[in-house]
Amino acid sequence: MIVRRNLSWRGILHYTWKSLLYYLLLAVAVYLAHDHYQVAYLSMPFNTVTIFSTALAIFLGFKSNNAYERWWEGRKIWGLLVNYSRAWTRQVITMMIPEIEADAPAVKELQRRMVYRHIAFVHALRVFLRIKHAYNETDQEEIYEEANRYSDIQAFLLEDEFQAFYHKNNPPNFLLELQGEDLQQAFKRGWLSDYRFVKLEDTLVEFNNIQGMSERIKNTPFPRQYSFFSRVFVFIHATLLPFAFVSELGFATIPVSVVISFVFLALDLVGERTEDPFENRLEDVPLTALSLTIETNIKEQWGDEDFPVKQTTQEGIVL
Amino acid sequence: MIVRRNLSWRGILHYTWKSLLYYLLLAVAVYLAHDHYQVAYLSMPFNTVTIFSTALAIFLGFKSNNAYERWWEGRKIWGLLVNYSRAWTRQVITMMIPEIEADAPAVKELQRRMVYRHIAFVHALRVFLRIKHAYNETDQEEIYEEANRYSDIQAFLLEDEFQAFYHKNNPPNFLLELQGEDLQQAFKRGWLSDYRFVKLEDTLVEFNNIQGMSERIKNTPFPRQYSFFSRVFVFIHATLLPFAFVSELGFATIPVSVVISFVFLALDLVGERTEDPFENRLEDVPLTALSLTIETNIKEQWGDEDFPVKQTTQEGIVL
Amino acid sequence: MIVRRNLSWRGILHYTWKSLLYYLLLAVAVYLAHDHYQVAYLSMPFNTVTIFSTALAIFLGFKSNNAYERWWEGRKIWGLLVNYSRAWTRQVITMMIPEIEADAPAVKELQRRMVYRHIAFVHALRVFLRIKHAYNETDQEEIYEEANRYSDIQAFLLEDEFQAFYHKNNPPNFLLELQGEDLQQAFKRGWLSDYRFVKLEDTLVEFNNIQGMSERIKNTPFPRQYSFFSRVFVFIHATLLPFAFVSELGFATIPVSVVISFVFLALDLVGERTEDPFENRLEDVPLTALSLTIETNIKEQWGDEDFPVKQTTQEGIVL
Amino acid sequence: MIVRRNLSWRGILHYTWKSLLYYLLLAVAVYLAHDHYQVAYLSMPFNTVTIFSTALAIFLGFKSNNAYERWWEGRKIWGLLVNYSRAWTRQVITMMIPEIEADAPAVKELQRRMVYRHIAFVHALRVFLRIKHAYNETDQEEIYEEANRYSDIQAFLLEDEFQAFYHKNNPPNFLLELQGEDLQQAFKRGWLSDYRFVKLEDTLVEFNNIQGMSERIKNTPFPRQYSFFSRVFVFIHATLLPFAFVSELGFATIPVSVVISFVFLALDLVGERTEDPFENRLEDVPLTALSLTIETNIKEQWGDEDFPVKQTTQEGIVL
Amino acid sequence: MIVRRNLSWRGILHYTWKSLLYYLLLAVAVYLAHDHYQVAYLSMPFNTVTIFSTALAIFLGFKSNNAYERWWEGRKIWGLLVNYSRAWTRQVITMMIPEIEADAPAVKELQRRMVYRHIAFVHALRVFLRIKHAYNETDQEEIYEEANRYSDIQAFLLEDEFQAFYHKNNPPNFLLELQGEDLQQAFKRGWLSDYRFVKLEDTLVEFNNIQGMSERIKNTPFPRQYSFFSRVFVFIHATLLPFAFVSELGFATIPVSVVISFVFLALDLVGERTEDPFENRLEDVPLTALSLTIETNIKEQWGDEDFPVKQTTQEGIVL
């Protein structure tokens, strides 16, 4: 996530230079052909492009909107994870109550295991979500968060749990299964009443929902039929522009058509970069920062003080 | 669902060639009549079409948006099915507890039946939703998922249950009824407390909701009055275009009016193809892939390892 | 609800012929006055109308969108009724449990009464919603569902219940009151535990919500200030069009201005017809079909087989 | 709320005559100056205004939409009040059960008090919401509901409760507090189990939410920065129009610019009048009618028959 | 939050004068160069800018809409805080019941502590949210609420609680932790049943959600890629305008291009100022006023009468 107010033009060029070069060369070519070699039929009245532009602007508006919706939904889901992580920690601490005094240390130990396993769940979900799909590859060099490995989780799990976890098809779901089994144990030993058992299980269902909603956004691209056509239409539009401008604008065709084409390109690209919030890149929902916030909150609630330190990859960027 | 970033132009032509041919022939005819046979009154000032184009663009924007909403809602519903399937499996495993040790194998057996019956429910819902409505027929040849038969479900049910299931008016709902009756049995035998009985029944209500919401989208087309008029207006618009272009563009009328008409056609068609997410075709919400994910997750939670294998119909397509 | 893909032009004319006739006569008059009688000041530059057209298109887009939202919300509410009807039936069957064997027949009888009374509730709500408001009268002849009388409900209620029901101010709400009282009876006799009593009462609250949400849409028209102005603006716009076209288009003014005016009229009318989903007419949410689906599902769950037969009023229409 | 299909032009003039007069005088002045006194530089090419018009139309579309959203949310909230009032009444009647027969009359009396106190809550909330904020004053004469005084509530409360109620900072909230205390009493006497106590308290939380959501809309105007600029832009736009029209339209400038300005003014005003749904004026959500519906429903459920009579202020208007 | 209906032009100039000066100087320069020094190629046909304007208007519409959504969501969240604060107070008062009469004073004392600690939570959340992020700094002088310090909270907490609170990483969350621990104590002493314990804990989860949702909006700026480009496009657009106007409008270029540029600037700025609702500035959601309302409501419910006094910073402004 970018937090500084201005983007760097260098960064923008990094993503757009190929298209800009095409716009420039085309405009120069059309201008030379029309004005210097007098190829008159290269010109086309401006009105021709207007209706296309309006339709395209509306379509890009639709796309921007839905790209933002996806991103914001991703952020909301992780907001829920923040909220319920705090609630889970409090509930584990206050609702698991030893029936006899002698059980107190065992209860404490179980609580600790469940609270730390939840930190593991949060980090595991982050790592799980940021694994790249081959089909999302764009051959673009990206800024990314390097610390994204399951080994980050090892410290929060028992060793055998970590080994089992590591080989699962769906590792985060496995951790929720373990939490459920520990709840059953606590219930059987009388540390949870029937009712409090179900209450804590309800909170686990929230985590199921949070995980599943994140997976939905991760695994379902914005329908390709929409993004493909928006890309194609921006290209066609940019290709028509210099022909529409050349007879009226002369030399000014070159800067003006490049600028206008850039506007439409930017609208398209901004959507394209925002629509997938879990790709481990610049515009991501900041999963690493959020995970560390959760870790800090949970440790503070539990009474530990070895808070993790957030690292900054680059100025004005939070990953 | 299409996951590769680019559509194939061959595929696009497959759906649009009839319209494109019409646009081409019309443009050629108008051009010849106007320029070669000098039928001057065939031309019409460009402005005439502009207001129509804006209104049409807005209307198509509205349609694209709602088509996408329907599709995304379909995906969300099946996301819920993923989440609650995992939760159901965990709840059946951790909340059904034998009162006496001797009951343990019977409880285990009942848990297994209920967990597998849920896999059956998921596949049954997929098959049920992908049965085609006669009124949605378009005489278009489609890419579809062949493995869509109730017999896929047989392995997850007892034989007599499957026979009864097969002849029901609403087979998936019948499976939920069976789950409810098994919960009652477990309650009567003391394996579920009053409170946990109701908790599991609550999860069944979630499945009622998931099934019913899917049926709602399946059985309620986007209001025909909207899609009919969008189709008609795109046709009228395309028909007016060459007349508006011919006097100013001359020969260029032919490519330009075909391209612009194609843009509006594409906007309409993209909506048309996206609005029904359960039609067993290319743009579907990928029910088969999702069902197999759920089957895998459930089996992993239960401890089985015979995970199903996802088959790829065509590169870049997930069904 | 219209399910066939194409509307009939005859039907469209049925709703629009008066306006179309006005457009035609006006265009002819303007054309004759301008071209034959040379009343030059009747013409007006085209640009004048453009800004009006854009504003109108946006306003109609807003209206179409909200009309569809209302309709779709109506459909969603009845979707909830489908889901919770299935859940209610299952819950009544599995959660009401005789304390002693001797009570079994009485429990069975009570269950039957409550399940059938729910069918009565569904049909009653349909009839209740489809009663017309005087202020919604348009003097338009409509296709409607004739079988819409409270007497349809008689078979599902005890005779004295039906008599009381019939004279109530709010008949469907009376049925929910009866259900609540029967739950209390079951609780007092020990067939429901405290907890299951409340669970079933919760499901009744869902029905309160479903009924109330339906009434909200039924009794609150889309704000008249919006629909009145959209109607007026479409009229003004159509009235200005021929003046704007006549000097540039000549004879073509007549077809072109009628077509463009029709486009805006259609956008307005499509919204107008869609915004009220419970009016017992062509574009309704198909309450009759949905009620019969629910009746069938409930009977199947209860074990009866005398499923109702859906009748088709007209091809491609579901009411 | 207006229910008749057409607004009266007299009413429309009541709200717009000042602006219309300004438009008229301006257009006449510009026309005279330009055509009679030949002040040529008063004219301005039409295109200049076009881009402004499009931006304004989009901005007004945004405003219309959100004004309607606010109004519709207000209506939804009061719809919830209808639903939960019915549910509350049923729950009080069926869930409060005397432990011994001798308590039956006392239980009945408590139920009656709580049911009637809820009627008081509904009316109190209506009166509370319709008190005007000084900052919303527009110096416009309005049609309003006169029967809007706390004394309407007296009949539904005990005398001392009413006195206390009357002097509270937040009177409706005080009634919910009383309901909660009566629930506690019922619980202490054994008429409510632990579980049913909490269930009824849950319903009170719904009323907290309903009240709070209504207050949110009432006390938070649509951000003034938006509505101020829409008003200013409509004014600037109308001021530019005659200059843009005058050279091409001549005398027709006068009617055409007044009509077009009126269209934009109407779009703005319709939003302005709709955005605040609890102002005791023509376009309000019909709180009085809804309160009386709730009173009728509750009395019918309780078995009383002295239903209140709805009064009509003016034809086609429901307040 | 601004409640008076009109903004002051002085305030508007405060935020826009730099841009307006640029527009003015540019327009004057272009006008002089073109008309006095005859630099003909400085002019550009108006149509060139039209398509840019439409795209920009749509993009700004999108931005306005989402800025308002963020602001309104912030207001909704604090509305929830109002509702659940009232509910919490009632629940603490009615649901915590001494088992034996002798406990009554201790229960009362605990209730008081929990009710007042909740007031502390509300104020703490306000202070916590209004701490500024360095990256949101704009070097703009702002009107703000000065009374925004944690010391405001001291009166509502025990002294040692306040000290601990003050040094926490996340102070409001710490207060919820304390509430949870007090609930556990009440449960252990028998003042809460198992079921009522969980019910009150549920209300704490609501506060977790309210806090977390507020933090989400606070810590996640509207994606910078959107706001950066909208700012840049408004600048480019304003820069092109005088070139497009100069040949047709002559001297009028100066006022007209400044006015039109101002319209687009205002649309952009209104969004920019609205999108962050917790910045302690003019357009904020009025957290201070809301906190004081909650404090008043809670004290009224508890029976205290030392209501806080709301202070007005400036006329027509609520902070």
Side-chain angles (χ1 to χ4, degrees), chain D residues 23-24 27-28 31-32 250-259:
Chain D
Y23 301 158
L24 184 67
V28 168
Y31 168 66
L32 289 179
F251 179 76
T253 299
I254 299 173
V256 173
S257 75
V258 169
V259 165

Side-chain angles (χ1 to χ4, degrees), chain A residues 108-212:
Chain A
K108 187 97 186 170
E109 177 50 33
L110 181 65
Q111 287 172 329
R112 194 187 177 285
R113 204 162 70 210
M114 293 180 76
V115 160
Y116 270 77
R117 193 188 283 132
H118 185 69
I119 301 180
F121 171 75
V122 172
H123 286 301
L125 186 55
R126 160 177 64 82
V127 174
F128 188 63
L129 289 175
R130 279 189 164 167
I131 296 167
K132 292 216 171 200
H133 285 299
Y135 60 70
N136 260 346
E137 198 47 68
T138 53
D139 297 323
Q140 185 80 50
E141 208 180 306
E142 302 279 0
I143 295 167
Y144 64 98
E145 170 63 59
E146 291 177 39
N148 204 57
R149 286 174 309 273
Y150 281 133
S151 53
D152 303 355
I153 287 109
Q154 201 151 5
F156 304 106
L157 290 178
L158 300 181
E159 185 53 30
D160 56 337
E161 281 178 13
F162 179 74
Q163 289 310 327
F165 160 86
Y166 197 81
H167 295 94
K168 288 292 168 184
N169 202 296
N170 189 321
N173 192 34
F174 172 68
L175 295 182
L176 296 180
E177 188 70 30
L178 289 181
Q179 300 282 44
E181 282 163 18
D182 271 359
L183 288 180
Q184 195 196 40
Q185 288 312 310
F187 171 69
K188 282 183 176 167
R189 291 186 208 166
W191 303 342
L192 284 175
S193 68
D194 204 36
Y195 191 66
R196 284 176 280 135
F197 172 21
V198 170
K199 182 72 224 163
L200 281 160
E201 166 63 33
D202 273 351
T203 306
L204 290 185
V205 174
E206 297 292 339
F207 297 130
N208 278 120
N209 274 314
I210 286 165
Q211 175 178 351

